[in-house]
């Protein structure tokens, strides 16, 4: 990848500025610093390699050069979007899922926003916010996608089974083109974030629907039940094993099918 190709490939999208780095600590850190310095809505950071890539819950995220997509989009939510601020990362997951489906791949979303191929993780998303006193300055949405096989971390570093796009496609992927398709879907669906059509599109692509799942929140509370779908605010609807339907809101929740959990740590 290089900046020139990126600028050309993304020319028709509402992206006012792009920063491309051969190697950087974390595109999210750069996105947060750029937001603080006044980055406009839609500004984009892309890196070939991250040396301190960050995942959810303080984990690290490996981005080896030439093998992955790692980018951060800086957003300044409109007043209407402020009502659905927690939906930006599911929106990014939906956009990645749509782009992979557009390539003929059976991508699914592990609620709320990881993207899976064949029930294995190929994309993770980390949304963070930048504040100025009490007011939100910007939201940064960091997306990491395993594209080539060398992007998949060793099994002992994984919390959830992982895969990559090329292993499912059977041919090399042009990463600039994949990025363009993801961002085009993101900006299209951004306009209807939080609508019934948005929740339906999300639910239609949900992994493990109708299956027994295990959920653990940051307070180590555990729930098991059948995954029903997405509720009207983006909550996960579960038919609990002990009876009754529960809505689980988007937050730091681990979700996995019960059969993945047996014997696993988190
Ligand atoms: C997860 O834990 O699943 C989220 C992983 C998010 C990784 C991406 S890669 C681009 C951006 N920069 C980071 O440091 N993290 C995100």
């Amino acid at each position: 990848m290089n900046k020139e190709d990126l600028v050309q490939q993304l020319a028709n999208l509402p992206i006012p500025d792009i920063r491309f780095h051969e190697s950087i600590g974390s595109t999210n850190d750069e996105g947060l610093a750029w937001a603080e310095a006044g980055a406009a809505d839609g500004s984009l950071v892309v890196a070939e390699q991250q040396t301190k890539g960050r995942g959810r819950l303080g984990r690290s995220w490996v981005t080896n050069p030439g093998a992955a997509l790692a980018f951060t989009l800086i957003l300044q939510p409109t007043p209407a979007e402020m009502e659905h601020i927690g939906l930006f990362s599911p929106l990014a997951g939906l956009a990645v899922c749509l782009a992979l489906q557009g390539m003929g791949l059976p991508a699914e979303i592990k609620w709320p926003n990881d993207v899976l191929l064949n029930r294995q993780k190929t994309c993770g998303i980390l949304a963070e916010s930048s504040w100025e006193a009490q007011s939100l300055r910007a939201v940064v949405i960091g997306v990491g996608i395993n594209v080539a096989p060398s992007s998949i971390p060793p099994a002992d570093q994984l919390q959830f089974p992982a895969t990559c796009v090329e292993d499912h496609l059977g041919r090399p992927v042009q990463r600039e083109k994949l990025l363009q398709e993801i961002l085009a879907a993101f900006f299209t669906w951004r306009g209807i974030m939080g609508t019934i059509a948005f929740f339906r599109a999300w639910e239609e692509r949900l992994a493990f629907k109708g299956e027994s799942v295990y959920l653990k929140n940051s307070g180590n509370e555990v729930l098991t039940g059948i995954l029903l779908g997405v509720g009207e605010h983006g909550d996960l609807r579960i038919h609990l094993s002990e009876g009754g339907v529960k809505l689980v809101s988007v937050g730091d929740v681990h979700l996995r099918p019960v059969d993945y959990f047996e014997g696993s740590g988190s």
Side-chain angles (χ1 to χ4, degrees), residues 26-28 50 53-56 61 71 121 124-126 142-144:
S26 152
T27 57
N28 266 30
Q50 293 187 113
R54 295 188 287 108
R56 286 175 58 239
W61 182 269
F71 64 92
K121 180 161 167 172
I125 292 167
L126 179 65
V143 180

